[in-house]
């Protein structure tokens, strides 16, 4: 199926999630939450399992309801910032080739993290940064709301129908779908519900993403 944007010759855009999509931060997240749990005398594994499914404030409400959530969040931010400075990060295979291969001003990052941490991680891994980064502080509603992806499209001057979202997590996939965009899933053994295409790894998706962005073909949702 040839997309409308391909037939009309309009520019196409790629919007990337960061953690789990371009950068492998699983061990870092587990370590940060483990240290956080130790500070509050909680079981690290139990806390991490909750954190995987919820946003931080929701996590605190479930695992540390007797604690001040703002203090909990401040502690988490402190640990995450320290991890950006001293932790070891790895970009997924194909990430550098992909980002360097995209046309300038045709892509953006849409993350539930904060921009200063994203910049730190990209500098550590040598990945290029785009002009547009929509982070947690930039929107009133995070994923799975469509707001983050819609804001990124607006900043790029793009129509939602001309955007391809690359995600690894259900909340991000729902966010892209609700924004009216094409969504491809990567870095998961099984496809997340709703994705238009699924790739077990980012490396497998690289040529297809580059083709989408360069208008080499318009088979965006096939």
């Amino acid at each position: 199926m040839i997309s409308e944007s391909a037939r009309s010759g309009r520019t196409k855009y790629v919007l990337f999630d960061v953690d789990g999509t371009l950068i492998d931060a699983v061990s870092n997240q587990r370590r940060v939450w483990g240290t956080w749990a130790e500070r509050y005398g909680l079981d690290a594994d139990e806390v991490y399992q909750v954190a995987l499914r919820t946003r931080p404030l929701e996590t605190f409400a479930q695992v540390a309801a007797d604690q001040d959530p703002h203090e909990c969040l401040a502690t988490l931010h402190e640990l995450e910032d320290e991890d950006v400075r001293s932790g070891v990060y790895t970009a997924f295979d194909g990430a550098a080739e992909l980002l360097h291969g995209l046309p300038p001003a045709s892509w953006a990052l849409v993350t539930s993290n904060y921009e200063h941490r994203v910049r730190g991680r990209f500098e550590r891994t040598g990945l290029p940064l785009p002009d547009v980064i929509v982070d947690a502080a930039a929107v009133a509603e995070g994923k799975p709301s469509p707001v983050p992806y819609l804001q990124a499209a607006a900043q790029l001057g793009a129509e939602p129908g001309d955007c391809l979202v690359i995600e690894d997590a259900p909340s991000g996939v729902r966010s892209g779908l609700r924004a009216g965009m094409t969504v491809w899933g990567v870095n998961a053994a099984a496809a997340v519900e709703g994705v238009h295409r699924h790739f077990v790894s980012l490396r497998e998706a690289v040529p297809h993403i580059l083709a989408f962005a360069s208008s080499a073909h318009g088979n965006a949702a096939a």
Side-chain angles (χ1 to χ4, degrees):
M1 177 181 176
I2 304 300
S3 69
E4 180 185 348
S5 61
R7 287 194 296 266
S8 65
R10 293 200 304 264
T11 300
K12 288 182 285 186
Y13 301 84
V14 186
L15 312 180
F16 294 96
D17 173 52
V18 178
D19 293 338
T21 297
L22 295 172
I23 292 181
D24 186 354
V26 171
S27 60
N28 302 77
Q29 292 168 344
R30 181 181 287 276
R31 181 168 57 252
V32 165
W33 276 109
T35 303
W36 182 92
E38 289 175 6
R39 290 198 180 182
Y40 288 92
L42 301 170
D43 183 272
D45 289 336
E46 290 182 7
V47 168
Y48 183 66
Q49 289 306 312
V50 174
L52 284 175
R53 306 190 304 270
T54 60
R55 298 170 186 167
L57 289 177
E58 296 167 344
T59 302
F60 307 146
Q62 289 192 39
V63 303
D66 59 333
Q67 300 292 332
D68 180 347
H70 299 292
E71 178 186 318
C72 291
L73 188 61
T75 300
L76 181 65
H77 284 175
E78 171 194 329
L79 294 171
E80 289 183 325
D81 286 345
E82 175 57 33
D83 187 69
V84 170
R85 292 189 292 269
S86 61
V88 177
Y89 286 90
T90 304
F92 282 108
D93 182 29
E97 173 190 336
L98 173 58
L99 299 185
H100 281 293
L102 290 170
S106 72
W107 61 285
L109 301 177
V110 181
T111 176
S112 298
N113 212 318
Y114 290 88
E115 182 172 344
H116 71 279
R117 292 186 194 128
V118 171
R119 289 184 175 277
R121 292 175 181 185
F122 271 54
E123 290 172 3
R124 298 286 299 280
T125 55
L127 296 179
L129 283 161
D131 294 332
V132 174
I133 301 174
V134 174
D135 71 345
V139 294
E141 299 178 20
K143 304 172 187 178
S145 164
V147 170
Y149 280 111
L150 289 174
Q151 181 161 316
Q155 290 184 225
L156 287 169
E159 293 295 326
D162 295 327
C163 295
L164 170 63
V165 169
I166 307 299
E167 271 280 359
D168 73 300
S171 63
V173 168
R174 290 197 297 272
S175 177
L177 292 173
R178 290 173 180 174
M181 301 174 180
T182 297
V183 182
W184 291 356
V186 298
N187 297 332
V192 175
E193 182 179 357
V195 295
H196 295 101
R197 293 188 70 173
H198 168 67
F199 301 90
V200 173
S201 67
L202 179 66
R203 162 55 66 190
E204 181 185 344
V206 167
H208 303 281
I209 298 170
L210 291 175
F212 177 97
S214 66
S215 299
H217 65 70
N219 194 18

